[in-house]
Amino acid sequence: MRRGARRWAVVPAAGRGERFGGSRPKQYVPLLGRPVLSWSLAALLAEPSISGVVVALAPGDRRFTRLPEARDPRVRRCAGGARRELSVANALAALEGEARDHDWVLVHDAARPCLHRDDLRALLDEVGDDAVGGLLALPLSDTLKAADARGSSARTLPREGLWRALTPQMIRYGVLRRALALSIERERAVTDEAAAVEALGMRPRLVAGRADNIKVTLPGDRALAAAILAARSKGSAHRPRLRRPRV
């Protein structure tokens, strides 16, 4: 880590989670007795080098204050936006005056509750000397198919060099503000922060992460996340970890 660079975390939690369904946003769905967001925040707060966490919330959100993590002195909130990049940009604006351009910002999905401390530590260690930043990702191992208009398999795509993006994504504060400002100016929605940074012509580093760092998107994902977290709490053996190449 560059000398004097601080670490901040941002959690965009203003989404409604339409694909998940139900009466409450997916980040507040119960998971082993705690909301999904509680697990996601706890994973970040377990890292003592993170100076503060900004959570971007939907207008009128009354659930957040019930979380024990909301009372942590390092946690603050800001207004979220209609899209991810707007929420993250608002959180970065909330850090203005404290965060410096060379500081680090770790953006983590609100509905990604299974972040393992080893993955977080690997990201911090491997990206700490990078001028731009990097992200946890998973090399693809499945065969990829392209579908035609009827939903039939039209062709097989090469998977070499393809990775599935995970979070956190760790980007320099100044770089990320500039990247998101450009995306917002061009009205270009981005699904992750690395895409916005790539649009500046920069290349975030890929850090191999665990396959069980899943995102709760569909109803079935909650059961899988619960099984992962329950296994960890019982001290069960983890899956073999991938080697973490520098890319």
Side-chain angles (χ1 to χ4, degrees), residues 121-145:
R121 178 47 53 185
L123 180 67
L124 297 176
D125 290 345
E126 295 191 27
V127 178
D129 62 351
D130 198 275
V132 176
L135 63 150
L136 289 175
L138 190 67
L140 289 183
S141 57
D142 295 323
T143 299
L144 301 179
K145 297 292 185 180

Side-chain angles (χ1 to χ4, degrees), residues 2 5-8 10 88-89 91-93 95-107 130-133 169-183 193 196-198 200 202:
R2 177 176 170 176
R6 301 172 75 185
R7 292 166 175 159
W8 308 90
V10 165
V88 176
L92 297 181
L95 290 170
E96 189 171 3
E98 294 181 76
R100 295 161 294 182
D101 281 354
H102 67 274
D103 281 357
W104 289 112
V105 177
L106 290 89
V107 185
D130 198 275
V132 176
Q169 303 196 354
M170 178 174 164
I171 309 294
R172 298 280 183 186
Y173 177 80
V175 170
L176 188 53
R177 287 204 79 175
R178 192 161 73 251
L180 292 179
L182 181 62
S183 295
E193 291 63 48
V197 172
E198 292 156 11
L200 294 178
M202 300 179 178

Side-chain angles (χ1 to χ4, degrees), residues 80-237:
R83 299 193 308 273
R84 181 187 181 96
E85 69 272 16
L86 298 174
S87 290
V88 176
N90 286 352
L92 297 181
L95 290 170
E96 189 171 3
E98 294 181 76
R100 295 161 294 182
D101 281 354
H102 67 274
D103 281 357
W104 289 112
V105 177
L106 290 89
V107 185
H108 186 51
D109 293 330
R112 202 176 287 273
C114 300
L115 173 64
H116 196 281
R117 62 180 179 274
D118 290 348
D119 267 12
L120 181 55
R121 178 47 53 185
L123 180 67
L124 297 176
D125 290 345
E126 295 191 27
V127 178
D129 62 351
D130 198 275
V132 176
L135 63 150
L136 289 175
L138 190 67
L140 289 183
S141 57
D142 295 323
T143 299
L144 301 179
K145 297 292 185 180
D148 60 19
R150 298 181 303 165
S152 301
S153 179
R155 64 186 185 279
T156 300
L157 304 177
R159 67 188 177 204
E160 288 73 24
L162 296 181
W163 295 59
R164 180 161 58 88
L166 309 173
T167 70
Q169 303 196 354
M170 178 174 164
I171 309 294
R172 298 280 183 186
Y173 177 80
V175 170
L176 188 53
R177 287 204 79 175
R178 192 161 73 251
L180 292 179
L182 181 62
S183 295
I184 293 169
E185 177 187 339
R186 295 181 176 177
E187 299 183 345
R188 182 178 58 224
V190 295
T191 57
D192 75 339
E193 291 63 48
V197 172
E198 292 156 11
L200 294 178
M202 300 179 178
R203 296 185 177 183
R205 185 179 298 180
L206 295 168
V207 178
R210 296 169 58 102
D212 58 8
N213 183 10
I214 68 168
K215 187 176 182 181
V216 176
T217 302
L218 301 173
D221 298 332
R222 179 167 60 159
L224 179 56
I228 292 167
L229 294 170
R232 289 181 189 171
S233 68
K234 294 177 183 176
S236 299

